[in-house]
Amino acid sequence: PMGYVYFVLPLSGLMIVFFSFVNILDLIQGQTSKHQALENALKGHFHLWFLYMLIGLYMIVPILRHLVRHEKLLRYLLILSFIFTVLIPQVASLLSHSGHEYIYSLYSGVVGRLSLPLGTGYVFYFLLGYRLSTVTVSARIRHAVYALALLGAAATVLLTVYFSRADGSTDESFISNFTFMAVFEGSALFLLAKERAKAPRTRVGCSILRTLSRCSFGIYLCHAMVIEQFERLLGFSTLSCPTLLA
């Protein structure tokens, strides 16, 4: 399929080149051994899970391409995916934090046995992005999504701080990629960019957005390495300054 030619093979090649470069740099700086460098080259840097995820998504694009032609089927899969990827895990997590750990155990034992690989995980965001890009969203729904995104961002901070202090360690339950907050925040940014692109007076803004879009993938690939080099060579990290500045 052409998807392999245009996406899967280039991404795989990019992974090999980038992983090799990062590990050669670590070897030169004496940060790793040869055996560890080989293992790291195969597994990749911690933030490059994103590339593996993209390759997996593009592998099933031929299937998804046929699926999205049927609107009712697409809506069904989005609803199913939202329920099992976001809704149930989030509710179970909240109940667990409220002292009902058995609920989360029950969720893991029952829902975990349902094999729904096609419509869950990052496939949900893939299909949601397609849906939002191809339908006209009314102003009322857009504004509701914007409001939920702002509330979600505030809730993320407050809940993370509260439960982290209560547990005495960092609680990352509310900053995962599959929370209510993440869904609404991502959807809000997407809809905002889509709406601004239609406005006749925002040509400069659209140009900036397109430039950022073209650069974002490369920035993501390099950002962890840049942060690590700052810390190794200059002794500067996010812990070197106040939280808000970091």
Side-chain angles (χ1 to χ4, degrees):
M2 295 307 294
Y4 279 82
V5 176
Y6 289 117
F7 299 110
V8 176
L9 293 180
L11 279 174
S12 300
L14 179 62
M15 285 173 56
I16 294 172
V17 172
F18 193 80
F19 290 177
S20 299
F21 174 75
V22 171
N23 283 286
I24 289 173
L25 191 62
D26 285 343
L27 277 172
I28 293 174
Q29 295 180 340
Q31 299 293 327
T32 186
S33 65
K34 293 180 180 179
H35 295 292
Q36 188 63 46
L38 178 60
E39 182 179 346
N40 293 341
L42 294 175
K43 292 182 177 180
H45 199 273
F46 72 90
H47 76 296
L48 296 180
W49 63 268
F50 189 64
L51 290 181
Y52 286 102
M53 183 271 293
L54 283 180
I55 289 174
L57 285 178
Y58 283 122
M59 283 181 174
I60 63 171
V61 160
I63 300 172
L64 298 179
R65 185 177 290 118
H66 289 285
L67 186 150
V68 298
R69 293 173 183 169
H70 305 277
E71 186 175 347
K72 289 184 178 179
L73 187 59
L74 174 59
R75 275 189 284 178
Y76 169 75
L77 189 58
L78 277 172
I79 293 171
L80 188 71
S81 184
F82 178 79
I83 291 172
F84 286 97
T85 300
V86 181
L87 180 62
I88 294 178
Q90 183 80 92
V91 171
S93 177
L94 286 170
L95 290 173
S96 177
H97 279 84
S98 302
H100 300 84
E101 290 85 359
Y102 70 94
I103 296 292
Y104 193 83
S105 176
L106 183 64
Y107 150 74
S108 301
V110 176
V111 178
R113 295 181 182 181
L114 296 176
S115 296
L116 299 168
L118 178 60
T120 55
Y122 289 98
V123 175
F124 168 69
Y125 282 114
F126 206 43
L127 294 176
L128 179 62
Y130 173 83
R131 180 67 176 169
L132 293 177
S133 68
T134 55
V135 299
T136 300
V137 181
S138 67
R140 185 173 65 177
I141 294 178
R142 282 201 320 274
H143 294 157
V145 172
Y146 296 156
L148 288 170
L150 291 174
L151 289 173
T156 299
V157 174
L158 294 175
L159 289 172
T160 299
V161 170
Y162 175 80
F163 285 109
S164 294
R165 287 181 174 176
D167 296 339
S169 60
T170 303
D171 189 319
E172 299 184 354
S173 304
F174 303 99
I175 56 175
S176 76
N177 295 332
F178 299 109
T179 62
F180 294 128
M181 296 78 94
V183 172
F184 287 119
E185 288 165 17
S187 298
L189 288 173
F190 187 92
L191 290 174
L192 179 62
K194 179 183 175 182
E195 190 62 24
R196 297 307 297 171
K198 296 178 182 178
R201 297 181 180 179
T202 57
R203 292 182 179 179
V204 175
C206 288
S207 177
I208 294 174
L209 282 176
R210 292 192 184 95
T211 301
L212 289 174
S213 178
R214 286 193 295 268
C215 297
S216 61
F217 187 59
I219 292 172
Y220 180 82
L221 289 180
C222 298
H223 83 280
M225 183 179 66
V226 171
I227 292 172
E228 289 176 355
Q229 294 307 309
F230 262 96
E231 186 170 3
R232 289 176 186 174
L233 301 178
L234 303 177
F236 181 82
S237 70
T238 54
L239 300 178
S240 305
C241 52
T243 304
L244 291 177
L245 292 178

